Amino acid sequence: MKLFIDTANVDQVAEIASWGVLDGVTTNPSLVAKEEGADFKETVTKMCGLVNEVSAQITATEFEEMKKQADEYSSWHKNVVVKVPMTVEGLKTLNYCSSKGIHTNTTLVFSVPQAVMAAKSGATMISPFVGRLDDLGMDGMELIQDIRTAWDHYNFDTQILVASVRNTEHVHRAATIGAHIATIPYKVFQELPQHDLTDKGLKKFMEDWESVQNR
Ligand code: G3P
């Protein structure tokens, strides 16, 4: 299973990369907007020096413009993955990128038919947004299970990337369902190594060791 961080902040990428657990980064225009003053190309290029896969989202909505942006972003660094929205124009762009050997991540996937369309158009990854389905009172992880079931019937190479992750339970279920990747916000990443019993157990070990020293 690959773990990505969902951020446009280079320091956060460097921190999690230093743990030795990080495979990639996903960014989106909303995350970029939070990092005031940062240059997008510079941010993406720096991240590409830290991890092997960095998703950079194109913002055009018509195929001809989307194609140009895909060409431009992919020229920045070999580790750039072009992030493409799940629209008809997006499908054309995914197909174009696939023919050019440009890696892609399809964003804003909310159904199995969308996932199948993206896979057939040659997407490298699909990003179903689980948290936003949870927000509507649904169970977003059921979509991941359904896509996994569909994937087990066919031979799609497209990787299932669990996005809009909001908590450690999402990561737990992504791993047990067999999603290829989860992209995780920094705050949730910091919670992943934690467990109350680990803290409690370590405290007891330290106390017992202290008593051995005082013999
Ligand atoms: O990776 C997609 C993610 O950035 C969206 O997350 O929390 O805005 O639904 P969220």
Side-chain angles (χ1 to χ4, degrees), residues 75-127:
S75 74
W76 291 348
H77 195 286
K78 67 176 175 44
N79 294 354
V80 169
V81 174
V82 176
K83 202 176 191 186
V84 179
M86 178 56 233
T87 60
V88 169
E89 298 298 292
L91 291 175
K92 295 178 196 170
T93 309
L94 292 168
N95 192 235
Y96 166 78
C97 288
S98 173
S99 73
K100 290 273 180 177
I102 298 171
H103 289 179
T104 51
N105 174 3
T106 319
T107 190
L108 294 166
V109 169
F110 291 96
S111 73
V112 174
Q114 286 183 324
V116 170
M117 291 294 101
K120 290 188 66 73
S121 69
T124 314
M125 304 165 208
I126 48 160
S127 287

Side-chain angles (χ1 to χ4, degrees), residues 6 26 28 31 83 107 129 131-132 135 163-166 183:
D6 196 27
T26 50
N28 66 40
L31 293 169
K83 202 176 191 186
T107 190
F129 276 32
R132 294 195 191 181
D135 290 345
S164 185
V165 162
R166 304 276 174 78
T183 189

